[in-house]
């Protein structure tokens, strides 16, 4: 039986390397297992795939995706960008700082890093190049800052992790605020040093007046209230994380009507984009659920736990090994797919070492975010490079300081639990 499972895993990996869509690769590997194991009813294949996407909590994904897309159609992005420009436009590398802060604030609205990267690559990179920034630097800042999006509530990665590991999504959202703020602050410091070294100028020279701050803040106040409504409502028990997604859609429609920018045409376009984005995520969830069932049936999580606990006696060494492993996996496998397969394996092991479940969740999600930026299969890298026409080799070379910064942040999250648990402990 172990040889059949090994063959299934090999088929899965080979299909991934051949760039077959992730869900088909996982289903292909799983199909091999069922085909070579006649004692298992093949109906289980379909049942596990369907059951994997029937969780009520997963409804939060299409809701928040839809809310984020509708926000883009209602002029919210432009209003928040103007607000970011006033706040950071006088710092060294003004537009690059706007880029980082915009990703952080939009993360609280969209939850999708790819949507954020695509939007900012179209809106900000041409403007940055016109202001004297290099194409490579502009593209790297856009892709790297988009990593903040899944870490800020309502990040889709946190919803998935909460459903898989049975962890409070509300607590993950609160922890994500701290991690996202840490990454935003450190990234803005790095952008400042690079900008000073290269002579990238601020967006504005004069000091902003109180009136300018108020003028820019007024249109952004209502959109920026959404994360507060979501987290506050979940914490006070007014609604669940799934219901918060529905509230977010209603709020987006309200803003669209208020700003008079939402019409039937872009509403239908937004719904179409929501279906496409949600379908791609749910297909991966369904496929990975089948493979997770196979691993559980073969007792792989239990055997792996026993082996690791018996081999590694120090939780800090375990965390280091997990980080290295996840960084390598992230280079080749899409984050949501790896999460559904690996979280059931790794989360129980982390618990056996006494590692806080919220801290381990954020370590995992942060590793996934780095994987989205890493060659050879980094989705963020390819999305931004595809839009800006930046060469991949130039992107990787320009991104080296940012990779170093990300590793430093990862080590801080891994070995200083307060970054993950501080806000959670205060509110919970």
């Amino acid at each position: 039986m172990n040889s059949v499972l090994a063959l299934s895993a090999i088929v899965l990996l080979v299909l991934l390397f051949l760039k077959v869509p992730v869900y088909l690769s996982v289903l292909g590997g799983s199909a091999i297992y069922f085909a070579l194991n006649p004692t298992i009813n093949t109906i289980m294949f379909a049942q596990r795939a369907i059951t994997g996407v029937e969780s009520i909590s997963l409804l939060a994904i299409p809701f928040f995706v839809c809310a984020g897309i509708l926000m883009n159609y209602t002029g919210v992005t432009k209003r928040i960008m103007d607000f970011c420009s006033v706040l950071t436009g006088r710092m060294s590398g003004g537009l690059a700082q706007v880029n980082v802060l915009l990703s952080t604030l939009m993360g609280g609205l969209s939850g999708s890093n790819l949507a954020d990267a695509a939007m900012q690559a179209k809106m900000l990179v041409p403007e940055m190049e016109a202001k004297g920034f290099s194409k490579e630097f502009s593209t790297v800042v856009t892709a790297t800052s988009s990593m903040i999006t899944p870490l800020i509530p309502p990040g889709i990665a946190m919803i998935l992790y909460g459903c898989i590991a049975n962890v409070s999504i509300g607590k993950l959202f609160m922890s994500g605020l701290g991690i996202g703020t840490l990454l935003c602050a450190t990234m803005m410091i790095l952008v400042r040093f690079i900008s000073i070294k290269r002579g990238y100028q601020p967006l504005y020279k004069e000091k902003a007046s109180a009136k300018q701050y108020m003028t820019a803040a007024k249109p952004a106040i209502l959109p920026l209230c959404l994360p507060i409504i979501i987290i506050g409502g979940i914490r006070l028990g007014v609604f669940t994380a799934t219901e918060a997604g529905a509230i977010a859609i209603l709020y987006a429609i309200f803003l669209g009507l208020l700003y008079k920018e939402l019409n039937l045409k872009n509403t239908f376009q937004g719904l179409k984009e929501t279906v496409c984005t949600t379908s791609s995520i749910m297909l991966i969830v369904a496929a990975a659920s089948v493979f997770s069932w196979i691993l559980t049936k073969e007792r792989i999580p239990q055997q792996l736990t026993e082996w690791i606990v018996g081999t590694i006696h120090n939780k800090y060494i375990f965390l280091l090994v997990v980080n290295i492993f996840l960084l390598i996996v992230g280079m080749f496998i899409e984050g949501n797919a790896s999460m559904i397969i690996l979280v059931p394996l790794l989360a129980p092991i982390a618990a056996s070492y006494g590692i806080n479940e919220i801290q381990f969740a954020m370590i995992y999600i942060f590793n996934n975010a780095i994987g989205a930026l890493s060659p050879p299969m980094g989705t963020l890298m390819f999305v931004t490079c595809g839009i800006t026409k930046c060469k991949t080799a130039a992107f990787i070379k320009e991104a080296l300081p940012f990779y170093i910064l990300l590793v430093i942040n990862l080590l801080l999250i891994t070995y200083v639990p307060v970054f993950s648990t501080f806000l959670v402990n205060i509110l919970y």
Side-chain angles (χ1 to χ4, degrees), residues 12-13 16 22 25-27 30 164 284-285 287-293 295-296 300-301 304 325 329 333-347 364:
L12 187 157
L13 293 173
L16 283 173
V22 173
S25 301
V26 179
L27 286 176
S30 302
I164 296 165
I284 294 171
V285 172
S289 296
V290 179
F291 197 73
S292 295
W293 180 83
L295 293 176
T296 304
I300 299 301
L304 188 61
F325 172 67
V329 168
I333 301 178
E334 197 272 336
N336 292 332
S338 72
M339 185 182 293
I340 295 169
I341 295 171
L342 295 176
V343 167
L345 299 177
L346 296 176
Y364 195 103

Side-chain angles (χ1 to χ4, degrees), residues 89-303:
R90 288 153 190 85
M91 299 170 65
S92 297
L95 265 180
Q97 304 286 11
V98 171
N99 201 325
V100 176
L101 186 59
L102 180 61
S103 287
T104 306
L105 296 181
M106 286 304 297
L109 304 178
S110 70
S112 171
N113 57 354
L114 293 179
D116 178 69
M119 173 193 68
Q120 292 187 205
K122 294 173 185 174
M123 288 179 61
L124 277 175
V125 172
E127 200 170 334
M128 288 177 70
E129 288 186 72
K131 294 287 184 180
F133 293 86
S134 70
K135 183 189 293 289
E136 295 78 16
F137 180 76
S138 304
T139 306
V140 167
V141 170
T142 300
T144 311
S145 65
S146 297
M147 274 185 52
I148 302 173
T149 303
L151 302 170
I152 296 286
I156 292 170
M158 289 186 279
I159 298 170
L160 269 180
Y161 190 101
C163 295
I164 296 165
N166 196 27
V167 177
S168 166
I169 296 175
K171 290 183 178 180
L172 290 177
F173 280 178
M174 187 53 60
S175 179
L177 274 179
I179 302 298
T181 303
L182 170 69
L183 184 55
C184 174
T186 54
M187 201 171 291
M188 290 178 78
I189 292 170
L190 177 59
V191 166
R192 181 178 184 275
F193 279 115
I194 294 175
S195 298
I196 291 174
K197 184 178 178 181
R198 298 185 182 178
Y200 294 146
Q201 297 299 311
L203 191 58
Y204 306 116
K205 299 287 186 182
E206 307 81 14
K207 184 178 179 181
S209 64
K211 184 178 179 181
Q212 286 177 302
Y213 281 118
M214 289 302 297
T215 302
K218 190 176 179 181
I221 288 175
L222 285 177
L224 293 177
C225 283
L226 179 59
I228 299 171
I229 294 171
I230 291 170
I231 294 174
I234 293 173
R235 179 63 190 92
L236 294 174
V238 178
F239 42 72
T240 65
T242 303
E243 292 164 348
I247 297 293
I249 292 177
L250 293 176
Y251 197 71
I253 293 172
F254 164 72
L255 292 179
L257 296 176
L258 181 67
Y259 298 148
K260 299 179 181 178
E261 294 193 29
L262 188 66
N263 53 47
L264 282 177
K265 182 180 179 181
N266 52 32
T267 299
F268 282 118
Q269 182 63 29
L271 293 174
K272 180 181 176 181
E273 290 181 28
T274 300
V275 170
C276 293
T277 303
T278 304
S279 299
S280 64
I281 296 172
M282 290 304 183
L283 283 170
I284 294 171
V285 172
S289 296
V290 179
F291 197 73
S292 295
W293 180 83
I294 293 171
L295 293 176
T296 304
K297 183 181 183 302
E298 294 297 322
R299 297 192 75 254
I300 299 301
Q302 294 89 331
Q303 294 175 28

